[in-house]
Amino acid sequence: MIHFKLDSKTIMTQDEMKQAVAQEALNYVIENTIIGVGTGSTANFFIDSLAIMKNKIKGAVASSDATAQRLKLHDIKVFDLNDVKQISVYIDGADESDNDLNLIKGGGGALTREKIVAAVADKFICIADESKLVDIIGKFPLPVEVIPMSANYVSREIVKKIGGTVKLRDFTTDNGNLILDISDLEIVHPKAIETILNSIVGVVTNGLFANSSADVLLLGTPSGVKKIVGKVF
Ligand code: 5RP
């Protein structure tokens, strides 16, 4: 664990914890390779930290247009995934994680591209502040990306198959699709729920990363960055 010098008056903000894990994630970047980069405020801190070693990597595959733009602002080369055979590591935030590193992602609406880049990468390092670690995921509304014409049908099927309350987000994804957010869930069997949601016609993907989850979670806490290991790493 990395320790911060804290006196009784020092309080770490959520952003400071995000910055700390973003900095720590640099240790997982493999030189001379192409890495995958996620989306959101924690991923943004990572991109800003990555700038310092931009000449040591070949470049990055971005999980969203916003991330691609930020990488380019730092003069980090952005690759199209179709031009890349291997991604050494994928680094991204999460909206919630349980202790087994089952994640809810997609608060920023980039879940589909995030899942694709994570699937290609050899390892997935998740970076988050301590507020994201929970006993049972589901308090954060679970995002589901859907083909626009299917939104109402998929909403009805979700309620029938797993329950919860479904709300259409006022948002269009980078892929031109819509997002349904499911609240009022307690996800005790994340792998099963992920599979059930993916089986509904019209669903592009859902924000559960359980069947293929993170390998490592770097968690920012006021007393330092904690490393939680999922599968063998
Ligand atoms: C975006 C995501 C993000 O990783 C997630 O929303 C966490 O965001 P932040 O780092 O801003 O808390 O899945 O689609």
Side-chain angles (χ1 to χ4, degrees), residues 18 39-43 92-95 105-111 114 129 132:
K18 288 179 181 185
T39 299
S41 56
T42 319
D92 194 4
D95 298 302
K105 289 186 46 54
L111 58 156
E114 290 173 343
D129 69 89
K132 307 293 182 70

Side-chain angles (χ1 to χ4, degrees), residues 86-101:
Q86 196 182 15
I87 294 174
S88 57
V89 64
Y90 177 61
I91 294 171
D92 194 4
D95 298 302
E96 273 186 349
S97 173
D98 64 21
N99 285 292
D100 293 325
L101 308 197

Side-chain angles (χ1 to χ4, degrees), residues 105-117:
K105 289 186 46 54
L111 58 156
T112 299
R113 295 190 188 188
E114 290 173 343
K115 221 177 231 192
I116 293 169
V117 183

Side-chain angles (χ1 to χ4, degrees), residues 158-190:
I158 288 172
V159 175
K160 226 189 279 174
K161 290 189 160 126
I162 66 161
T165 308
V166 183
K167 202 172 160 207
L168 179 66
R169 200 187 295 186
D170 185 13
F171 180 83
T172 302
T173 70
D174 286 349
N175 312 309
N177 295 319
L178 298 176
I179 301 249
L180 300 172
D181 288 305
I182 319 171
S183 48
D184 304 323
L185 292 177
E186 270 206 346
I187 306 177
V188 254
H189 300 295

Side-chain angles (χ1 to χ4, degrees), residues 53-196:
M53 59 178 297
K54 64 182 174 196
N55 296 325
K56 293 188 174 166
I57 57 168
K58 286 185 181 160
V61 172
S63 65
S64 64
D65 293 343
T67 288
Q69 214 177 338
R70 198 174 186 100
L71 287 163
K72 284 177 191 163
L73 278 177
H74 285 296
D75 282 327
I76 296 169
K77 187 173 162 107
V78 176
F79 287 89
D80 185 307
L81 184 57
N82 284 319
D83 296 329
V84 165
K85 281 202 187 108
Q86 196 182 15
I87 294 174
S88 57
V89 64
Y90 177 61
I91 294 171
D92 194 4
D95 298 302
E96 273 186 349
S97 173
D98 64 21
N99 285 292
D100 293 325
L101 308 197
N102 296 299
L103 309 176
I104 289 185
K105 289 186 46 54
L111 58 156
T112 299
R113 295 190 188 188
E114 290 173 343
K115 221 177 231 192
I116 293 169
V117 183
V120 176
D122 296 338
K123 299 285 173 206
F124 175 8
I125 310 299
C126 184
I127 50 176
D129 69 89
E130 64 175 359
S131 70
K132 307 293 182 70
L133 186 64
V134 295
D135 286 333
I136 298 174
I137 56 175
K139 198 161 180 205
F140 189 93
L142 173 62
V144 181
E145 179 163 352
V146 299
I147 300 292
M149 72 175 289
S150 73
N152 287 345
Y153 166 73
V154 173
S155 300
R156 293 192 296 273
E157 286 298 298
I158 288 172
V159 175
K160 226 189 279 174
K161 290 189 160 126
I162 66 161
T165 308
V166 183
K167 202 172 160 207
L168 179 66
R169 200 187 295 186
D170 185 13
F171 180 83
T172 302
T173 70
D174 286 349
N175 312 309
N177 295 319
L178 298 176
I179 301 249
L180 300 172
D181 288 305
I182 319 171
S183 48
D184 304 323
L185 292 177
E186 270 206 346
I187 306 177
V188 254
H189 300 295
K191 287 187 172 71
I193 298 293
E194 183 179 3
T195 304
I196 291 167

